[in-house]
Amino acid sequence: MDDNGYEAYIGLDVHKDTIAVAIAPKGRKAPEFLGEIPNDPSAVRQLVHRLGKAGEALNFCYEAGPCGYQVYWQIRGLGCCCEVVAPGLIPRKPGDRIKTDRRDALKLARLHRAGELTAVWVPEAEQEAMRDLTRAREDAKADEQRARQRLNNFLLRHGRKFEDGKSKWTKTHFRWLETQKFEWPHQQVVFQEYLDTVRERQTRTAGLLAQMQQALRVWSLRPMAEAFMALRGIDLITAMTLLAELGDLSRFDHPKRLMAYLGLTPSEHSSGGRQQRGGITKSGNSHARRGLVEAAWAYRFPARKTAHLQKRLEGASPAVQQIAWAAQKRLCGRYRKLTLERGKPKQKVCTAVARELAGFLWALSREISGQPYAMRTDR
């Protein structure tokens, strides 16, 4: 066997209906394309048994994609190693303009044998179920916002403006909407359909939020989620989304690894004595990154323990409260310094604040899991 204990590396190009298979034996022999199999459990089982009939240790891999992790769990259940690799981190030749399933499978097998692929974190069954729930709520909220925009556009086209209050989508606003009448009957029908759609979308979003609150009570990561909610800008939705997407953050041995995993670190293009840094890399999980950036906007105000935040801190340990207050002082001062003293754009400043907020989340996860850590919060 090779140094890693595997006799062969198998690359799988997984699609909805088919899986292209290539194998790279240990050593430097060229990979071999084995053909395509149907994407169903029986065909995968037969493939694993056929390749491992001589008792060889096999290491499978395939790209993360819309097919999820069913193939991963099945191969692991059959006693073989399997990795799901990040598509954006697969080395690519600039001049290679031909892409086929055969080539993709061969490339995966070859790069997997060379150790050039980066594996992604695969959630457990409970984790994946929670991720489905939080993403469903996120999709429902996006549908609600689109429905509101369609109704707003319809009213704007007909010169109807709400001037009875400061905020829309309140009880006052809905009472005003119910008084709107249009000259043509079919226009009234269109308006009513738009309004009913908004209400239906709101009901769906509220129902999924209630499901999240109910699921939190029995979630294994509930203590960590409650600790995250001690931070300013992190509510139940954000805390559950972060943990559903990332899992236990204490698995990262350093906060900078978490920041890089979230794609919040600056990109860089340096050569020789010339150094050039650009925007953030935006690699990793976009759902978690978006939630962190939205939470970072709460730190544009001075550090302060509001009544709402004090209520969320009830029951939290002194260590959690200390980290949360240190985060407020650090991040609020950071925002003020970058905007007022250095004149940085607010959007960039909030991204920088989100990067440091990830470090405090990492510290909280280490505190809850009981793992030692050393982190400066007074810089």
Side-chain angles (χ1 to χ4, degrees):
M1 295 185 182
D2 62 6
D3 294 339
N4 294 323
Y6 299 109
E7 289 284 350
Y9 296 83
I10 295 88
L12 305 176
D13 191 35
V14 179
H15 297 279
K16 181 180 67 173
D17 299 320
T18 61
I19 300 177
V21 185
I23 182 171
K26 66 176 182 178
R28 305 188 64 179
K29 187 178 179 181
E32 177 186 357
F33 182 66
L34 301 181
E36 291 186 350
I37 63 171
N39 187 357
D40 62 68
S42 61
V44 174
R45 188 184 310 110
Q46 292 176 7
L47 172 69
V48 174
H49 289 164
R50 176 164 60 90
L51 294 178
K53 61 183 178 181
E56 296 179 348
L58 306 176
N59 195 336
F60 292 77
C61 77
Y62 68 95
E63 295 182 43
C67 293
Y69 306 109
Q70 295 303 314
V71 175
Y72 169 88
W73 287 118
Q74 184 182 1
I75 294 176
R76 295 284 295 241
L78 293 171
C80 292
C81 180
C82 184
E83 294 182 4
V84 184
V85 301
L89 299 179
I90 297 177
R92 306 181 189 278
K93 297 179 180 179
D96 191 359
R97 303 297 178 88
I98 301 177
K99 183 186 184 302
T100 63
D101 295 347
R102 175 192 178 99
R103 286 191 170 214
D104 288 345
L106 289 169
K107 180 171 65 174
L108 284 173
R110 184 179 65 254
L111 294 175
H112 192 34
R113 179 178 62 183
E116 295 293 330
L117 299 177
T118 303
V120 302
W121 172 73
V122 178
E124 299 289 340
E126 180 193 30
Q127 195 74 23
E128 190 170 12
M130 193 63 69
R131 178 182 291 185
D132 289 337
L133 177 59
T134 56
R135 289 187 179 184
R137 187 263 167 200
E138 185 178 334
D139 292 339
K141 189 63 178 180
D143 291 340
E144 178 188 337
Q145 291 173 342
R146 281 192 290 267
R148 289 179 176 183
Q149 188 62 39
R150 294 190 189 102
L151 178 57
N152 282 332
N153 292 341
F154 177 82
L155 294 172
L156 183 61
R157 288 196 303 269
H158 296 283
R160 308 296 177 93
K161 296 181 180 180
F162 174 64
E163 298 177 349
D164 297 337
K166 296 182 179 179
S167 301
K168 291 184 178 180
W169 316 117
T170 59
K171 291 182 179 180
T172 304
H173 183 226
F174 275 105
R175 283 196 295 267
W176 175 80
L177 288 172
E178 291 167 355
T179 63
Q180 299 305 302
K181 295 181 179 180
F182 295 86
E183 178 181 359
W184 298 96
H186 41 272
Q187 282 183 330
Q188 191 69 37
V189 170
V190 170
F191 167 74
Q192 192 63 46
E193 289 290 339
Y194 281 146
L195 181 57
D196 290 345
T197 301
V198 171
R199 286 174 169 161
E200 188 271 334
R201 296 291 190 272
Q202 285 183 330
T203 302
R204 182 186 300 177
T205 304
L208 287 169
L209 177 58
Q211 287 294 321
M212 289 176 61
Q213 293 170 339
Q214 183 178 353
L216 179 62
R217 300 192 187 103
V218 296
W219 194 16
S220 60
L221 294 180
R222 175 183 175 179
M224 202 165 291
E226 292 176 343
F228 284 5
M229 286 187 280
L231 289 170
R232 185 175 187 171
I234 306 288
D235 58 2
L236 180 140
I237 295 173
T238 305
M240 292 188 66
T241 299
L242 289 171
L243 288 173
E245 297 293 338
L246 303 175
D248 187 352
L249 303 188
S250 62
R251 62 190 174 91
F252 295 94
D253 58 4
H254 196 276
K256 288 186 177 180
R257 293 187 181 275
L258 172 60
M259 298 171 191
Y261 185 85
L262 289 166
L264 290 170
T265 54
S267 59
E268 184 174 353
H269 185 79
S270 301
S271 179
R274 179 173 173 269
Q275 294 185 352
Q276 181 178 359
R277 291 191 175 185
I280 59 174
T281 61
K282 294 186 178 180
S283 61
N285 194 291
S286 60
H287 300 272
R289 182 171 59 253
R290 181 169 55 252
L292 269 180
V293 173
E294 289 178 356
W297 283 96
Y299 293 92
R300 65 188 188 274
F301 304 109
R304 176 169 171 256
K305 293 183 179 180
T306 62
H308 176 69
L309 193 57
Q310 286 282 28
K311 185 177 180 180
R312 291 212 312 239
L313 285 171
E314 293 178 0
S317 66
V320 170
Q321 296 187 34
Q322 182 181 2
I323 294 174
W325 180 237
Q328 271 215 67
K329 293 188 293 182
R330 164 67 182 173
L331 299 180
C332 292
R334 184 71 170 162
Y335 181 91
R336 185 167 58 253
K337 180 178 180 180
L338 292 177
T339 53
L340 299 180
E341 298 181 14
R342 300 189 182 180
K344 298 288 186 180
K346 294 181 179 179
Q347 290 79 4
K348 289 186 177 181
V349 173
C350 281
T351 303
V353 170
R355 180 168 57 249
E356 297 195 19
L357 178 59
F360 286 99
L361 289 172
W362 177 87
L364 284 173
S365 65
R366 286 270 170 159
E367 178 66 33
I368 296 301
S369 60
Q371 301 183 38
Y373 67 95
M375 181 177 176
R376 291 183 61 187
T377 59
D378 57 345
R379 290 180 300 172

